[in-house]
Every structure is written in C-alpha cells, then in structure tokens.
Amino acid sequence: MAQDFKKLARNVVAGVGGAENVTNLTHCMTRLRFILKDESKADDAKVKNIPGVMGLVKQGGQYQVIIGNNVAAAYKEILPLGVEGSVVQDDAPKEKQKWTPKRVGMTILDAIIGTMTPLIPAIIGGSMVKLLAMLLLMTGVAGETSSTYVLLNTIGDASFFFLPILVAVSASKKFGTNTYLAVAIAGLMVHPAFMDLMAKAAEGQAVTLAMIPITSVKYTYTIIPAIVMAWLLRYIEAGVDRITPVVMKNFLKPMLILLVGAVIAISLVGPMGVWLGNGISAVVHGKLGWLAVAIVGAIWPLLVMTGMHRVFTPTIVTTIAETGSEAMVMPSEIGANMSLGGASLAVAMKTKNRELRQTALAAASSALIAGITEPALYGVAIRLKRPMIASVITGFIAGAVAGLAGLASHSMAAPGLFTSVQFIDKDNPTSILWIAAVMAISVVVSFALTLIIGFEDIPVEDDEADMTNDGSVKLMAPMTGMAKGLHDVADEVFSKGLLGKGMAIDPEDGKVVSPIAGTVTTVFPTKHAIGLTDDNGVEVLIHVGIDTVSLNGEPFTAKVAAGDRVAVGDELLEADLDAIKAAGLSTTTMVVITNSDQFKDIAPVAPGHVSFKEHVMEVFHHDKEADTEPAMA
C-alpha cells in the first residue's frame, strides 16, 4: 500500500508543536531538519511512533525527524501546512575555497578527463578505421585515389575532424551549459565558409568581424578551444540572462549568447593558443639544436591537446620545400608518438580491467603502427594521468637522441612504424639504425617508466563479472581508508541501522567512486550524499561525513547527475576533507543498503584498510544461501 505522505506530514507537524513552532525546515537525503522556536513543545514519543518515521535525533540545534529515502515527498507535503522551509540553507555564510596552483591544475585536468572520457569509443573507432585504410593502401589492395580508400579514411577521420563538436557536447554536459548553443559555437569553428576565411587569413588577407580582427586558426582536430568555450558559456548565459527583458528572452537571449560566445571563441580563445604556439615555435626554432628536438618531443602531446602543434605546419612545409627535409619538429614526433604507444602497452599488460586493456591495446597499435596518438593520449595517458608523465619523460629522451643523430624527415606523415621510412637518408645508411634505435628507446623507456611509476587502475569489467556470483552482489570500496562497522558511527540514524545495513569508512582522501554498476538515482543539492541502484535492484546510499548537509555543498564537487549510468570505479564526487574537518565535522562516510529488508543478508568486510580495488560488502539474495557470515554490523 502506498504511503500517505499528506497524513505523515500532518502528524509530524503536530508532533513538533504545530507550524507556529517551526522557525525553518530543511531536509537532507533522509531527514527532515526542523529548527523549532521551543523544543519543549515537541512530543518526542509521539513523533517516534508516527507511521513512516524511522527515528528522531536532536543535535546541532536541529530537531531531526528521520524519514528515509522518501524524505523529499514528506517535505513537499509539509510546506503547504504553513511551515517555512528551504531544501538547503543558502543563507548560511559560505567560506570560499582558495585557488591554489594544485587546485587549478587538478580542476583543468578534471575538466579534460571528464570531457574526453565519453568520447573514447569514437576516437578509438576512428583511429582503427584509419589504420585499416593505411594497411589497405600499403598492401596495394586499395589505391590512394580509389573511392574505397578515400571513404574508409574519411569514415575514420570524421571523429577527429569534427572533434570540436564532439567535445562541445561532452563539455556542455560536464559544465551544465546548453548543449545546443555549445555545439553551435563549435560548429562555427569547422564550418566550410569559416575555414575558407581562415585559409585566406593565413595567406595575409584581412579578416574582420565588424572592427574586430580575426586571427587565422585551424580548429579541426582540437579540443581545448571547445572545452574553454563550454566553460565560459556558463557565465555568458548568466550575464545575458540578467540583461535581457523577460518579454524578449525567447529570441534575444539565445541570439546574444551565440553572438557573444562566437566572437570570444574566434577572436580570443582560439588565437590565444596560436600566440602561445608561435612563441614556443620562435624559441625552439632558435639555436637550441638537439635540445629543441628534445623539448618539442616532451611537450608534443600537450601541443596536440591545444591544437598548437599545427603552428609548426607552415614551417615544416616551407623547410621541406626549400631544403628537402625537416630536422626539428618531425624527429621529435617519433618519441612522442611511440612513447604513447609504449605506455599504452604497459597499461594493457598491467591493468586488471578488461575494457581498459582492450582500449589500451587498440590505442597502442594505432600510435605505434600509424602514428595516430589521440586514442592513446585521451583514452589512456590523460585518463590515467601517470602514463602521461612517462610519455613526457620519454619524449624528451627520444627527442634528444633523434636530435643528436641528426634525423630529418622528407615528409609530413605522422611518425609510426610504417611511416618511419620518411626519415631514411639515402646518403647516410646509418640513419636506418638511428631510426630503429629512437623507436626502440621510445617504446622500451615509456613501457618501463609506466610500469615503474604505476597508475590507478580502473576496476570495472573483471570485477563486475564477479558481482553477481552465487546469488549475491558485491560492492567495491567507494573510498580509500579504514573500514569500520556502522555501530561505531557517531550518528544514531546509521549506528542503529535505521536506514539499512552497511558499513562506514574513515577516508584518506576525498575521491568517491561508484561501488556498483548501475544508475545514479539521487544527487542531493548539497552534494554530500548520492543514491545509486544497481542492475539487481540493490539500492546504495553513500553519505560523506556526518551532518555535512550544513555545509551547503561547499566542500563537495559532484561528478555525476541523477539518471547517469555509472560503472564500477567511475568517480561520483570529490570531497574536500580538510574543509569538512575545519568546520568541526566528521568525515566518516557511510555506505548503506537502504533496501536491506529485501535481501537475505548484508555482509561487510572486517574492519581494516580498504582501497578502491577491493570488495567491501556482499549482498545475498533470499534464493541463495550465504557462504559467509557478516563480518560486522
């Protein structure tokens, strides 16, 4: 029988002394939080015995009535009874977090990773089709002018050519901006008419938008301009919304957003990358010699991310046309490309995640054979962070060797195993040995460094395969830290199991990942708690900290939204543990099965240290016998 929330609301209001005794009402994931004028007027016993009320807690000046997962429905029915309330206490003073270099760097990296991860299938698929086209061309099965080769190469190249549009879609979801406006601005960057104007600008023809000069930039294959614009769109939308009259918002607001965003994109954001790239080019094309090759080899992946690598194209073309070869940029690419392939091979060998292994192997073959590095760059190196460090170090070493050996390219093909012939010098037979040496150094060093430095594995598929064995569902640790029983939690709602059985973790850092594969059902506005449901119907509540709803979301950054599909190990939120502690609150995180009564047993691990890769709880179905006893309550 469906619960009558209107009746529940009336009983609760009466139990706390009536609406006139309530100063304010808020709610979190499970509790109605009343601030009462006179707490003595509340009838504790009456409130506890109301059907639908799971418990009562009085702390922090709040009269907390525990409702459980249906708290929002109860809250909604209480407000019309004359109770003044708000979901979160936005009027509470908020302490701004300081922007440190580390925080800035992590925020930028998080934006790139969060944006690029959903695009990995398109990038991997495109690179493999391009590789197929190259193999057909090299074996003579298809000619360079044949429609088969042209079509295959175009199919493979589409996801790279239109990368700004794909990035705009993903980044708009990451930053919560209007997807279609973000796509419209990114679409401008790859529009044929705009690209034609950019080509003319590159030849010296003046291109202006009214009085604003537009610098020649080629945006295809780039990601940073689209990410930056999706981020800026948040502020552009807010600013335009404030200045547009209500009666004209339907047409004036989107027009102004599009105009302002497009102008900023093509006059400022894009050219900034070119200006920075020109500065780098001017420095390295000086008298640095072999050191220039080493430096470019180290930073090449970063240049590719921003699109600044294309700044070198005119110089390369001119140099090859005038001298027949280019001995700075192209040799540096050998180490950069091959190192990404070597790092991906190491990841494929070391990871226990089958999906990541497949991605890494495909990325490695693409980089090593064809010199197509985007899958390795976005799907492995940036995603796992540490392999990028190995690639940068290797790029510098291999670049230095290539520079000292005097290698030079006679073509502009992306350096890979099959395209390495472009570096052969007919007047210097030893160049073949140097090419082989540089390629070997790149693969071996990056492979070894990746194994030595290590990386944080993504425990997805192989662990998911174990999660439904023997009539049970296994949960992984959502945080790294010390596990303990719920009975040790300093909060009666959890310690008495009012919300269900589970466990708690005293975390070592603030990263929270999904312990199951399933769907995000709830992300509370203050982002301190997240509800998940797995494919077997197990409902999981992850509640970071005790009474952290009072912080109004300040220490938390949500990485997902309600309705999102998540895999085991996907990041859910980031918590600033220092800020929570500074507020005088506990960081103990509760992991609770809120529908525990639907299962035969819930068996958490014994108290001790746990990490992301470890199973910490097992949920047994009624139709299967549990093989083990619960380790703790």
Side-chain angles (χ1 to χ4, degrees), residues 288-295 327-328 331-332 396-408 428 430-431 434-435 438 441:
L288 295 180
W290 64 267
L291 186 57
V293 185
I295 292 173
M328 197 279 290
S332 70
F396 183 89
I397 296 172
V401 175
L404 290 170
L407 292 181
N428 181 16
T430 60
S431 61
W434 280 112
I435 295 168
V438 172
I441 289 172

Side-chain angles (χ1 to χ4, degrees), residues 173-246:
K173 295 180 179 179
K174 174 71 177 175
F175 297 120
T177 55
N178 187 293
T179 297
Y180 302 101
L181 288 172
V183 168
I185 294 172
L188 163 67
M189 300 176 180
V190 294
H191 194 288
F194 178 75
M195 292 176 64
D196 182 57
L197 281 176
M198 292 299 93
K200 292 177 180 178
E203 296 172 357
Q205 180 176 323
V207 176
T208 61
L209 177 60
M211 301 291 290
I212 304 173
I214 306 299
T215 304
S216 176
V217 180
K218 187 175 181 181
Y219 293 100
T220 53
Y221 305 88
T222 64
I223 70 164
I224 297 300
I227 292 178
V228 173
M229 285 312 305
W231 173 69
L232 286 176
L233 207 54
R234 298 168 60 185
Y235 303 98
I236 295 173
E237 286 184 40
V240 171
D241 184 66
R242 283 195 295 269
I243 66 173
T244 49
V246 175

Side-chain angles (χ1 to χ4, degrees), residues 225-268:
I227 292 178
V228 173
M229 285 312 305
W231 173 69
L232 286 176
L233 207 54
R234 298 168 60 185
Y235 303 98
I236 295 173
E237 286 184 40
V240 171
D241 184 66
R242 283 195 295 269
I243 66 173
T244 49
V246 175
V247 295
M248 303 173 70
K249 280 190 187 295
N250 286 344
F251 64 91
L252 186 59
K253 179 180 174 180
M255 182 189 79
L256 290 177
I257 291 173
L258 196 57
L259 280 175
V260 173
V263 170
I264 292 175
I266 64 178
S267 66
L268 185 61

